[in-house]
Amino acid sequence: MNTPHKGLDITTAKSSRLDQVDFDNLVFGKYYADHMMICDYKDGAWQTPQIMPYGPMEMEPSSKVFHYGQAVFEGMKAFKDADDKVWLFRPEDNFNRINISSKRMAIPEFPKEYFFDALNTLLKLDSEWIKKGDGNSLYIRPFAIGTEYGVSASPSNEYKFIIICCPAKAYYSTPVKVLISDHYSRSADGGVGYAKAAGNYGASFYPTNLAKEKGYQQVIWTDANTHEYLEEAGTMNVFFRIGDKLITAPTSDRILDGVTRKSIIDLAKHEGIDVEVRRIKVGEIVEAAKNGTLKEIFGTGTAATIAQISGFEQDGTFYDLPEVENPYNVKLKKMLQDIQYNRAEDPFDWRYAVETK
């Protein structure tokens, strides 16, 4: 059935694929909800967004995204509370960031009304894909790609903005071990590190595979100029607890302005935890590990929420982190998730109610 709605064209799925999914044993990114949104950019304007059944789409082999990497994306989650109400977490931050990323990659910015109308409609249609319970969510992946065909090295004149959704559980179920990189870097000054550009992540896979061969799940990236400063952990922002102080690197044109990162900083300050946002030298963390003042390291991101790091290798030496009483990562994760699942007050006004009835 084709239905116009709030400036959207909607074609609903004939049947749901919910019964094909084992929600107790989810593999992240394997199953996708029944509907997706596609909006085309052509003739200098974004066209009417279309909601349609999730499925393959046809593209020219010469589409510029395949040749010049014009692609950006976001990661968001929808949560369902005990009363079956659906909530998004700071969605305006994600909307603003994908347009910041798009601008850096010469992709036209997407209209706010289209973005939120599409999100609300998708979540209403696929609300049964959002399961209640701690750790359960619907992961939302908005992305934009250059689709004009032709292999000339220039920005595309045509694009697709797409939103797909997949049910998710915790990304990391156990603490992870990491390798501090002393050769490879995630990004450089003047580059696209602050943008969620697809190529940032593709370029990280090879050094991450090298780390996995050594028994580590992720890499902590260092700066490209000297490899003296710690920046991000895998696809996450990273926090270090030395004594009772929480330290994280400042955002820059190399470091992503993570939504979870910002939230953890605000929650920690709200709890009276001393937070420092500053550059952190590898040597400082190694020295803290040696003298016993390094209490915790954890990564933050939409998919992972908070991922505890149990130890790290630097220059051939592995440093185990101690088990501490009342760890910050556990406390802050609970506070964050209590807001996301509508179990606690939201003094920051981060929750966004989705009308699904």
Side-chain angles (χ1 to χ4, degrees), residues 77 134-135 169-174 260 264 267 298-300 303-308 327-341 343:
K77 281 182 177 177
D134 210 27
K169 285 187 174 290
Y171 197 75
Y172 293 111
S173 57
T174 58
T260 309
I264 292 302
L267 285 169
F298 56 87
T300 63
T305 309
I306 290 182
Q308 180 187 349
Y328 287 174
N329 77 86
V330 173
K331 178 178 184 175
L332 293 170
K333 183 176 182 178
K334 183 180 187 305
M335 291 176 65
L336 182 67
Q337 290 187 328
D338 282 348
I339 292 174
Q340 291 172 331
Y341 287 96
R343 297 190 295 242

Side-chain angles (χ1 to χ4, degrees), residues 32-336:
Y32 288 85
D34 292 320
H35 297 89
M36 64 181 183
M37 185 278 284
I38 296 182
C39 185
D40 289 309
Y41 181 92
K42 58 184 179 181
D43 300 325
W46 288 103
Q47 307 300 302
T48 301
Q50 300 176 69
I51 304 288
M52 62 183 69
Y54 177 88
M57 60 187 188
E58 189 174 276
M59 290 178 63
E60 291 277 351
S62 58
S63 295
K64 291 202 173 185
V65 65
F66 300 138
H67 303 273
Y68 303 113
Q70 261 192 296
V72 298
F73 69 94
E74 267 302 318
M76 309 169 63
K77 281 182 177 177
F79 305 88
K80 185 173 282 185
D81 69 16
D83 297 320
D84 287 323
K85 293 180 180 177
V86 175
W87 303 89
L88 290 168
F89 183 73
R90 305 186 71 167
E92 192 147 341
D93 288 329
N94 295 103
F95 167 75
N96 290 334
R97 192 171 62 183
I98 198 167
N99 276 341
I100 289 169
S101 299
S102 292
K103 185 175 181 179
R104 180 61 179 85
M105 298 300 292
I107 297 172
E109 295 178 33
F110 195 65
K112 184 175 181 178
E113 181 182 0
Y114 285 3
F115 184 81
F116 280 92
D117 282 354
L119 272 181
N120 281 283
T121 303
L122 283 173
L123 295 175
K124 183 174 183 177
L125 286 170
D126 289 337
S127 62
E128 293 302 310
W129 287 80
I130 312 169
K131 299 303 180 183
K132 291 188 288 189
D134 210 27
N136 292 323
S137 64
L138 187 70
Y139 183 82
I140 303 165
R141 171 53 64 89
F143 62 104
I145 56 175
T147 55
E148 181 188 11
Y149 64 88
V151 295
S152 61
S154 59
S156 178
N157 288 315
E158 296 183 357
Y159 298 87
K160 287 185 183 294
F161 193 104
I162 302 170
I163 303 176
I164 56 177
C165 307
C166 63
K169 285 187 174 290
Y171 197 75
Y172 293 111
S173 57
T174 58
V176 299
K177 296 191 299 180
V178 298
L179 175 69
I180 293 180
S181 176
D182 59 4
H183 177 68
Y184 295 101
S185 294
R186 179 184 171 275
S187 59
D189 292 338
V192 295
Y194 70 91
K196 284 187 77 73
N200 288 349
Y201 297 81
S204 75
F205 295 159
Y206 175 68
T208 302
N209 282 346
L210 296 180
K212 288 179 178 178
E213 289 173 5
K214 298 182 68 174
Y216 299 99
Q217 286 82 28
Q218 274 297 352
V219 172
I220 291 187
W221 306 107
T222 51
D223 71 290
N225 293 328
T226 67
H227 296 290
E228 290 183 8
Y229 292 93
L230 298 154
E231 298 203 325
E232 291 193 6
T235 59
M236 303 175 289
N237 296 111
V238 64
F239 286 78
F240 304 88
R241 176 185 172 187
I242 297 179
D244 292 329
K245 185 176 295 182
L246 201 57
I247 309 168
T248 192
T251 56
S252 65
D253 57 7
R254 301 182 312 279
I255 297 177
L256 187 72
D257 184 16
V259 175
T260 309
R261 171 192 177 275
K262 292 189 290 191
S263 305
I264 292 302
I265 290 171
D266 288 344
L267 285 169
K269 290 179 176 178
H270 189 263
E271 287 299 292
I273 295 171
D274 188 6
V275 180
E276 283 190 3
V277 179
R278 63 170 173 83
R279 299 186 77 190
I280 313 151
K281 281 194 171 185
V282 175
E284 179 183 357
I285 295 304
V286 170
E287 181 59 31
K290 288 178 177 178
N291 65 31
T293 57
L294 181 62
K295 303 299 183 184
E296 297 178 66
I297 306 176
F298 56 87
T300 63
T302 298
T305 309
I306 290 182
Q308 180 187 349
I309 293 171
S310 60
F312 67 92
E313 179 187 314
Q314 195 275 327
D315 197 23
T317 301
F318 183 77
Y319 299 89
D320 261 318
L321 270 68
E323 291 189 13
V324 296
E325 289 188 17
N326 303 314
Y328 287 174
N329 77 86
V330 173
K331 178 178 184 175
L332 293 170
K333 183 176 182 178
K334 183 180 187 305
M335 291 176 65
L336 182 67

